[in-house]
Amino acid sequence: MERREFLKNSAVIGAAAALGQEMLFAAEQPLKDRKVLFVWGGWKGHEPGKCRDIFVPWMRQMGA
């Protein structure tokens, strides 16, 4: 499994845990009208931009 695929899968699993599985899969846009604060950063050598490039579009797609 590629790193990007792993991170994407982790995002879905994390969202399901945080929002409740029923909510995540019952609605087309489970985050519709929700505000999300996405904070990213890290130490030298860390690549937070890659994670941001996965999570932010996904959250927008989900309606946030």
Side-chain angles (χ1 to χ4, degrees):
M1 180 183 300
E2 290 184 10
R3 181 177 180 194
R4 186 171 286 252
E5 184 181 353
F6 172 78
L7 290 173
K8 192 178 223 180
N9 290 342
S10 297
V12 172
I13 292 169
L19 299 173
Q21 192 173 13
E22 305 83 31
M23 183 181 169
L24 183 66
F25 296 109
E28 189 174 306
Q29 291 186 319
L31 298 177
K32 186 162 178 67
D33 300 326
R34 290 193 176 235
K35 294 181 181 180
V36 176
L37 174 64
F38 187 84
V39 181
W40 61 283
W43 56 92
K44 205 174 208 176
H46 184 59
E47 300 175 337
K50 289 182 179 181
C51 186
R52 176 207 59 218
D53 293 343
I54 294 170
F55 284 99
V56 171
W58 177 79
M59 287 188 286
R60 286 185 177 148
Q61 181 182 358
M62 293 294 111

